[in-house]
């Protein structure tokens, strides 16, 4: 465990050096590196992560004396050129980062980083440094996934919905070594059938309301109030098709549990090692053999 943790700290320090060099943001390698790197898309729910970031920021400001787990929220990914909503999510991430990273009341306990120009070379630095892998797409929307496998193989513990390859990862690593949250596919179907009303979550959850109301202000966009209001409208008036608000509280509760786990260094090291050790099922040889046997129905040539 000590050797594994030491190697991970080395990878986190290397990533912190890249962030310092490219963005001028100083990171604490001992902090929890909370990583979401993937294509920017509404169903992948970077918004859910960003709203949790805002809620965490509000809580830290309200009670700076609490012994908070230091955390670095790391985002990276690209959006389609004409995908306006995705571009607005990128803007929100950078606006939040600018505000949070320059707030002296936090004393460096929360940092937000959006690394531009995400590519394979950058992934090679981010993935081995991730403590937490955010795989939080709406249940039923992520058919599979390979990013979550790469992150788990490198020792990142997953927080995710019961969706895509998260289900198989959970089966391999065990329920004690992954954080599952949110509505299942069947529960999403029930919400839709019964008539999903995102405004009910806004009206009844003070954290959600505070996060969305800040978007109408100029808190993250000084001198330009309402510049982010379209995000709030898309959720409350657009029907929140990806159930961001419906899963928010379950997601926040899962983060509370993983905070407690991260404080226990031995427990977290064990979880990380189990994620690396149990990824054998996802190797390419086994995957191709499955295709040969079950999809292609090939037989060896004589």
């Amino acid at each position: 465990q000590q050797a594994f943790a030491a190697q991970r700290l080395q990878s986190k320090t290397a990533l912190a050096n890249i962030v310092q060099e490219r963005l001028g943001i100083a990171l604490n390698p001992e902090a929890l590196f909370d990583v979401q790197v993937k294509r920017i898309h509404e169903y992948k729910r970077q918004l859910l992560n960003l709203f949790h970031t805002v809620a965490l920021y509000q809580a830290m400001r309200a009670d700076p004396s609490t012994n908070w787990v230091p955390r670095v929220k790391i985002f990276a990914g690209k959006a389609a050129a004409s995908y306006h909503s995705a571009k607005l999510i990128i803007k929100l991430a950078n606006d939040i980062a600018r505000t949070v990273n320059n707030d002296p009341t936090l004393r460096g306990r929360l940092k937000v980083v959006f690394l531009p120009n995400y590519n394979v070379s950058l992934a090679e630095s981010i993935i081995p440094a991730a403590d937490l892998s955010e795989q939080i797409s709406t249940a039923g929307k992520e058919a599979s996934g390979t990013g979550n496998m790469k992150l788990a193989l490198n020792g990142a513990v997953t927080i995710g919905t019961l969706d895509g390859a998260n289900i198989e990862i959970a089966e391999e690593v065990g329920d004690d070594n992954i954080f599952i949250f949110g509505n299942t596919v069947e529960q999403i179907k029930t919400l839709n059938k019964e008539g999903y009303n995102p405004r009910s979550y806004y009206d009844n959850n003070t954290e959600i309301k505070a996060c969305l109301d800040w978007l109408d202000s100029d808190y993250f966009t000084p001198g330009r109030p309402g510049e982010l209001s379209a995000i709030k409208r898309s959720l409350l008036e657009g029907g929140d098709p990806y159930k961001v608000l419906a899963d928010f509280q379950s997601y926040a509760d899962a983060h509370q549990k993983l905070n407690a786990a991260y404080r226990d260094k031995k427990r977290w090291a064990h979880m990380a090692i189990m994620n690396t050790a149990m990824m054998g099922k996802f190797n390419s040889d086994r995957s191709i053999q499955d295709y040969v046997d079950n999809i292609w129905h090939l037989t060896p040539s004589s």
Side-chain angles (χ1 to χ4, degrees):
Q1 287 182 2
Q2 291 175 354
F4 194 86
Q7 177 57 52
R8 293 195 48 74
L9 182 61
Q10 183 176 325
S11 296
K12 292 170 71 175
T13 301
L15 179 59
N17 291 337
I18 290 173
V19 171
Q20 177 69 61
E21 178 183 331
R22 297 187 184 183
L23 301 178
I25 300 171
L27 303 183
N28 172 15
E30 299 282 356
L32 171 63
F33 276 26
D34 179 346
V35 171
Q36 187 174 18
V37 289
K38 54 180 72 249
R39 186 163 51 91
I40 311 298
H41 198 292
E42 288 166 285
Y43 87 81
K44 292 181 182 290
R45 299 202 297 189
Q46 283 89 357
L47 276 181
L48 182 58
N49 193 349
L50 288 167
F51 289 160
H52 176 256
T53 304
V54 173
L56 185 59
Y57 173 55
Q58 290 176 324
M60 286 181 168
R61 280 180 55 84
D63 189 7
S65 62
T66 294
N67 183 26
W68 298 97
V69 171
R71 184 186 292 254
V72 180
K73 290 274 194 176
I74 298 171
F75 298 86
K78 295 183 178 180
S82 60
Y83 193 174
H84 176 75
S85 295
K87 295 295 183 69
L88 196 55
I89 291 169
I90 294 173
K91 174 176 168 50
L92 175 63
N94 281 282
D95 289 340
I96 291 172
R98 190 178 307 109
T99 302
V100 169
N101 296 341
N102 290 295
D103 190 328
T105 65
L106 299 182
R107 294 181 297 195
R109 289 178 293 189
L110 177 63
K111 292 290 181 75
V112 183
V113 172
F114 189 101
L115 280 157
N117 301 319
Y118 185 56
N119 56 22
V120 171
S121 296
L122 189 54
E124 288 173 346
S125 296
I126 295 174
I127 290 173
D131 292 308
L132 185 67
S133 167
E134 297 267 359
Q135 306 297 331
I136 59 178
S137 59
T138 314
K141 296 295 183 181
E142 187 79 84
S144 184
T146 56
N148 51 3
M149 300 173 196
K150 297 182 182 85
L151 283 151
L153 177 62
N154 279 271
V157 177
T158 300
I159 180 171
T161 50
L162 275 175
D163 194 33
N166 290 349
I167 298 170
E168 293 177 274
I169 291 175
E171 290 171 350
E172 295 302 307
V173 305
D175 293 341
D176 291 339
N177 299 308
I178 191 170
F179 295 94
I180 297 296
F181 76 95
N183 285 282
T184 64
V185 173
E186 290 304 316
Q187 289 169 330
I188 294 288
K189 289 179 179 177
T190 300
L191 281 174
N192 289 331
K193 184 178 180 180
E194 293 178 349
Y196 175 61
N197 180 16
R199 187 166 286 276
S200 66
Y201 295 90
Y202 171 79
D203 291 335
N204 294 294
N205 187 304
T206 56
E207 283 189 325
I208 289 174
K209 188 175 190 306
C211 288
L212 293 185
D213 287 351
W214 260 7
L215 301 182
D216 285 331
S217 73
D218 68 345
Y219 194 89
F220 297 116
T221 56
R224 306 185 305 279
E227 197 167 79
L228 299 167
S229 292
I231 295 173
K232 178 180 177 180
R233 291 196 301 270
S234 73
L235 296 172
L236 297 184
E237 299 171 19
D240 184 18
Y242 301 108
K243 308 300 182 288
V244 172
L245 303 189
D247 275 351
F248 176 85
Q249 191 57 56
S250 176
Y251 178 65
D253 292 344
H255 271 279
Q256 290 281 14
K257 293 176 183 177
L258 72 87
N259 277 344
Y262 191 73
R263 288 185 189 278
D264 184 342
K265 296 303 182 185
K266 287 187 176 181
R267 179 185 173 192
W268 193 270
H270 173 81
M271 293 172 72
I273 290 168
M274 289 302 296
N275 271 268
T276 294
M278 302 308 293
M279 285 297 102
K281 175 183 177 179
F282 302 102
N283 75 80
S284 58
D285 289 344
R286 196 275 310 167
S287 178
I288 294 302
Q289 191 64 51
D290 274 359
Y291 273 80
V292 167
D293 295 339
N294 302 316
I295 297 174
W296 299 329
H297 303 293
L298 300 179
T299 56
S301 61
S302 56

